[in-house]
Amino acid sequence: MEAKLKQLQEEAIEKIEAAEGLKELNDIRVAYLGKKGPITEVLKGMGKLSAEERPKMGALANEVRAAVTERLEEKSEKLEKEAVNKKLASETIDVTLPGRPVRKGRKHPLTKIVEEIEDLFIGMGYSIAEGPEVETDFYNFEALNLPKGHPARDMQDSFYITEETLLRTHTSPVQARTMEMHKGKGPIKVICPGKVYRRDNDDATHSHQFMQIEGLVIGENIRMSDLKGTLQVFAKKMFGEDREIRLRPSFFPFTEPSVEMDITCKICGGKGCSVCKGTGWIEILGAGMIHPNVLEISGFDSKKYTGFAFGMGPERIAMLKYGIDDIRHFYTDDVRFLNQFQTQE
Ligand code: PHE
């Protein structure tokens, strides 16, 4: 019996040493130390032994069990360690590897032009005012000296929502709102950028939705020369120091006198080409001295206060500045177009 136990011990230890995984090890544990295992089997034969031999065999059997258990534990610890090391090795991260480049979004060319224009006027002491795109007939027309039935309303074909509300056709209602907020007291110096809507058929130069930037200055002794000087600074900063401006008489119901501003054509340098239609000049905005009626409707004393306003289309400015030939490029989000305006902003 002693020999049998020793042999079982050796056999078990050999198998333990050879085991390659934790599951295999557990199988060995069950096979050798379990209730149905060979060691238990051998001990069943103890009854046949003499009284002196029995305790000796019992002790030996315990020794064998202890030895096998110890080896099992050692081996299982070793296998576990190996498994952890293997896992760590396979999951090693090389922190020195350069990362994948992150594709950054960038500003739309129209946003950039609007911000450029805003910055330019902020630099001249203006602040920014905004207003709703769904506007009342009052602010969009009536407060701007365009009573119901006025023929000039036809200049701005409108999207009406109800009889009294519409999608604003220009940013001038923000001018009326700002004046109302100031309760008859100057000075005011704001620009109002925003989206506007007109019932136009979309083509290379028209869009049913586009942007405008309105400028409004009100104070005591504001003169036409202030308007001209302001527009001159704007044109030169925006298009280059070599640009000249000219003001042509025009008509807007909310300004008197009204003008349109042209800048010299960059393409031909003023000699005349197809872009400027042979005139050497390109029209870029409308402006004028605030009509006394508009001042009075918004609560300003037109004897004390005067002012000027101007309105421009940033799309048109961008088209002239970058040589873009179709306004629809701004709204169709074609990356081939947008990628031409890559900068790190
Ligand atoms: N609101 C005018 C338009 O949309 C432009 C403009 C603004 C003209 C301010 C003069 C003064 O046509």
Side-chain angles (χ1 to χ4, degrees), residues 250-279:
S250 184
F251 171 78
F252 298 105
F254 26 89
T255 47
E256 184 57 37
S258 301
V259 293
E260 270 170 324
M261 179 173 95
D262 297 339
I263 54 164
T264 42
C265 178
K266 194 181 180 178
I267 293 165
C268 61
K271 282 190 214 79
C273 66
S274 64
V275 173
C276 58
K277 300 192 183 88
T279 64

Side-chain angles (χ1 to χ4, degrees), residues 190-296:
V190 291
I191 52 163
C192 325
K195 285 187 195 132
V196 301
Y197 304 81
R198 288 190 198 176
R199 268 174 42 203
D200 267 330
N201 289 325
D202 293 2
D203 62 23
T205 53
H206 294 87
S207 170
H208 61 282
Q209 180 225 292
F210 56 103
M211 284 196 78
Q212 276 195 346
I213 299 183
E214 182 95 0
L216 171 71
V217 172
I218 291 179
E220 292 175 41
N221 293 319
I222 300 289
R223 289 185 288 249
M224 188 88 181
S225 52
D226 297 314
L227 169 63
K228 188 172 179 185
T230 304
L231 296 179
Q232 206 150 26
V233 169
F234 163 72
K236 286 183 187 286
K237 288 248 168 80
M238 204 67 199
F239 296 101
E241 286 299 322
D242 54 341
R243 292 305 190 92
E244 296 298 324
I245 67 159
R246 76 173 180 190
L247 301 180
R248 276 181 295 106
S250 184
F251 171 78
F252 298 105
F254 26 89
T255 47
E256 184 57 37
S258 301
V259 293
E260 270 170 324
M261 179 173 95
D262 297 339
I263 54 164
T264 42
C265 178
K266 194 181 180 178
I267 293 165
C268 61
K271 282 190 214 79
C273 66
S274 64
V275 173
C276 58
K277 300 192 183 88
T279 64
W281 294 94
I282 294 173
E283 181 200 322
I284 63 163
L285 56 78
M289 300 307 290
I290 314 270
H291 195 294
N293 285 357
V294 173
L295 286 164
E296 297 287 341

Side-chain angles (χ1 to χ4, degrees), residues 138-139 143 175-186 188 218 290-305:
F138 176 77
Y139 289 113
Q175 155 185 164
R177 285 175 177 274
T178 307
M179 287 164 74
E180 192 185 70
M181 259 163 45
H182 276 75
K183 296 192 165 54
K185 279 209 186 72
I188 298 176
I218 291 179
I290 314 270
H291 195 294
N293 285 357
V294 173
L295 286 164
E296 297 287 341
I297 294 169
S298 294
F300 279 79
D301 179 354
S302 63
K303 292 207 180 61
K304 185 173 174 200
Y305 287 108

